[in-house]
Amino acid sequence: MKSCVSVFIALFAANCFWLEASSHLLSRRPSKFTMVWGFSWKNCGKEDDPAQLKTLSISPDPISIPGQLTAAASGSTSVALSSPLSVNVTLHREVVGVWVKIPCLDEIGSCHYPNACDLLDQLIPPGQDCPEPLRTYGLPCHCPFKAGDYAFPSSDIVIPDVELPGWLTNGNYRVQGILGSADKELGCLEIGFSLHSSKK
């Protein structure tokens, strides 16, 4: 592994598996068809942060859940990313023109994850094959991740049929994720999107 891009993709893929399992075990609501519009991203840290996402493209727009998207990315990290690797996520929703912070509810929302390495080990047990598309390109999905440059070629990713939390309603959202280690910021990524769900 040669960049924080693999951490992002590994967490995304693992989260899809976790949401899929949770939806089968805990869902009490009718299934919904969700559309994600206007996906955007930017680095939100300092210019000299060790981990930087250089390019990220996701299509189509809108993205359907369930459905399939095509993603490509490139990035770099000047330091090895090793345990403990914290992730601090802040989620905001636009309400009548004001961005309101959404608290951490059932491990989703504005949550602090003290060690993403442990989270990856829980979602993808060591010794188990990494999920696609990481496996196809021979990329690891566990810490440590070596320093260096990385380019993730355009790949199709299947998004499973999952039940999003009831409080994750239609609207505009902004998500900021800060990657850190030993109280030092390693990188920051901000993602924006609009969500629209309807019953099937």
Side-chain angles (χ1 to χ4, degrees):
M1 167 57 207
K2 295 184 178 178
S3 117
C4 60
V5 177
S6 190
V7 177
F8 172 77
I9 295 169
L11 287 170
F12 173 80
N15 192 49
C16 282
F17 296 145
W18 177 77
L19 285 172
E20 183 175 34
S22 297
S23 69
H24 292 308
L25 294 173
L26 304 175
S27 178
R28 297 182 181 88
R29 295 176 296 278
S31 188
K32 292 182 179 179
F33 184 72
T34 302
M35 305 292 284
V36 178
W37 302 76
F39 177 89
S40 64
W41 72 275
K42 66 178 181 180
N43 288 305
C44 48
K46 300 175 183 177
E47 288 186 9
D48 60 350
D49 274 354
Q52 299 276 349
L53 188 62
K54 298 186 181 301
T55 64
L56 174 62
S57 63
I58 293 179
S59 63
D61 187 6
I63 300 166
S64 300
I65 304 175
Q68 180 173 294
L69 62 82
T70 301
S74 66
S76 65
T77 177
S78 60
V79 299
L81 304 178
S82 56
S83 182
L85 193 63
S86 67
V87 178
N88 194 37
V89 177
T90 305
L91 175 64
H92 286 90
R93 178 173 183 249
E94 188 177 20
V95 180
V96 293
V98 178
W99 289 99
V100 177
K101 182 178 178 179
I102 296 185
C104 186
L105 301 169
D106 296 324
E107 298 296 317
I108 301 175
S110 298
C111 303
H112 175 71
Y113 305 95
N115 193 352
C117 298
D118 287 345
L119 179 63
L120 285 173
D121 286 345
Q122 291 171 19
L123 298 173
I124 310 168
Q128 180 177 308
D129 287 340
C130 292
E132 295 294 352
L134 298 180
R135 184 170 63 220
T136 294
Y137 299 111
L139 299 174
C141 51
H142 299 282
C143 299
F145 300 100
K146 295 179 181 179
D149 298 317
Y150 171 71
F152 180 76
S154 181
S155 302
D156 293 331
I157 300 173
V158 175
I159 304 175
D161 186 2
V162 298
E163 184 65 37
L164 297 176
W167 52 263
L168 200 60
T169 57
N170 296 347
N172 299 324
Y173 291 86
R174 199 165 58 196
V175 184
Q176 183 186 83
I178 298 176
L179 189 68
S181 180
D183 295 325
K184 180 181 179 181
E185 181 177 313
L186 300 176
C188 178
L189 182 67
E190 183 173 298
I191 294 172
F193 61 91
S194 297
L195 190 68
H196 178 76
S197 296
S198 59
K199 291 182 180 180
K200 289 182 179 178

